[in-house]
């Protein structure tokens, strides 16, 4: 079934809304899991499950198409960055409350906005600058630096920085690799 542009847009909006609504649940589950399991085990399970889903889905979706010009070097770097950001966020969740973890982690969009200018050659405009400043201000309000700075917050900040890099790398590899294939490559 071929989707029209309007149907594809509605589907995209719906999937983004669903992901946004599920994000807090994933954080709660991750926080709960860190109380029982090691961060390394949680990461392994996450990648394993993603590969179980991604490999058959990629085989089905791309069975009649070549893999195209997949730049494996970029995918390997992107995967290592993702592994780092997930590890640091899980470490943060194991040390501090979810709200503090997410507050520090939300430095990610600021990093991505700045890097996109240099790596993706995106134009910076007033709206992007205001959005980045407002986002960073919100992060500062949540964190109250100097009052609650501890190793968990540092882990979350590192995770946020790596996530921002990961987001830009995802956009970069997305120019040549379909999304499901990108997910599959990062999982294996």
């Amino acid at each position: 079934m071929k989707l029209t542009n309007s149907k594809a847009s509605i589907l995209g909006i719906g999937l983004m809304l669903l992901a946004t609504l599920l994000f807090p649940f994933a954080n709660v589950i991750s926080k709960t899991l860190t109380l029982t399991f090691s961060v390394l085990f949680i990461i392994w399970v996450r990648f394993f499950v993603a590969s179980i889903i991604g490999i058959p889905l990629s085989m089905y979706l791309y069975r009649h198409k070549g893999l195209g010009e997949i730049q494996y070097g970029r995918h390997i770097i992107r995967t290592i960055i993702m592994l780092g950001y997930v590890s640091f966020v899980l470490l943060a969740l194991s040390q501090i409350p979810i709200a503090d973890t997410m507050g520090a982690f939300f430095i990610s969009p600021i990093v991505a906005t700045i890097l996109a200018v240099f790596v993706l050659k995106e134009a910076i405009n007033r709206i992007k600058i205001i959005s980045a400043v407002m986002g960073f201000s919100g992060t500062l309000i949540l964190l109250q630096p100097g009052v609650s700075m501890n190793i968990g917050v540092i882990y979350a900040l590192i995770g946020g920085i790596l996530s921002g890099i990961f987001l830009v790398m995802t956009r970069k590899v997305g120019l040549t690799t379909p999304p499901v294939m990108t997910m599959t490559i990062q999982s294996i």
Side-chain angles (χ1 to χ4, degrees), residues 96-176:
I96 59 177
I98 294 172
D100 293 346
T101 300
M102 291 299 100
F105 178 78
F106 283 140
I107 195 167
S108 175
I110 298 160
V111 172
T113 300
I114 293 167
L115 285 177
V117 172
F118 299 105
V119 175
L120 302 172
K121 308 297 183 217
E122 288 188 0
I124 191 82
N125 59 34
R126 193 175 312 186
I127 292 173
K128 288 181 182 179
I129 293 170
I130 291 170
S131 298
V133 169
M134 287 177 64
F136 188 66
S137 299
T139 299
L140 291 177
I141 290 168
L142 281 172
L143 286 180
Q144 299 175 2
V147 175
S148 62
M149 193 58 73
N150 60 48
I151 192 68
V153 172
I154 293 169
Y155 287 154
L157 285 169
I158 294 170
I161 291 167
L162 291 173
S163 174
I165 296 168
F166 171 78
L167 291 171
V168 173
M169 287 292 297
T170 300
R171 293 263 317 274
K172 190 82 169 165
V173 301
L175 298 173
T176 58

Side-chain angles (χ1 to χ4, degrees), residues 16-48:
M16 283 298 295
L17 182 60
L18 179 64
T20 303
L21 292 173
L22 292 177
F23 188 69
F25 293 111
N27 293 331
V28 170
I29 291 169
S30 295
K31 175 76 173 175
T32 304
L33 288 173
T34 62
L35 300 173
T36 308
F37 300 103
S38 73
V39 169
L40 186 61
F41 179 75
I42 296 167
I43 293 167
W44 180 83
V45 168
R46 180 179 173 157
F47 277 79
F48 180 74

Side-chain angles (χ1 to χ4, degrees), residues 2-4 21 33-34 41 58 68 70 85-87 90 96-97 106 132 141 180 183 185:
K2 183 79 172 154
L3 293 176
T4 63
L21 292 173
L33 288 173
T34 62
F41 179 75
S58 290
I70 295 176
Y85 108 68
V86 170
S87 299
L90 287 172
I96 59 177
F106 283 140
I141 290 168
V180 174
M183 182 196 74
I185 292 169

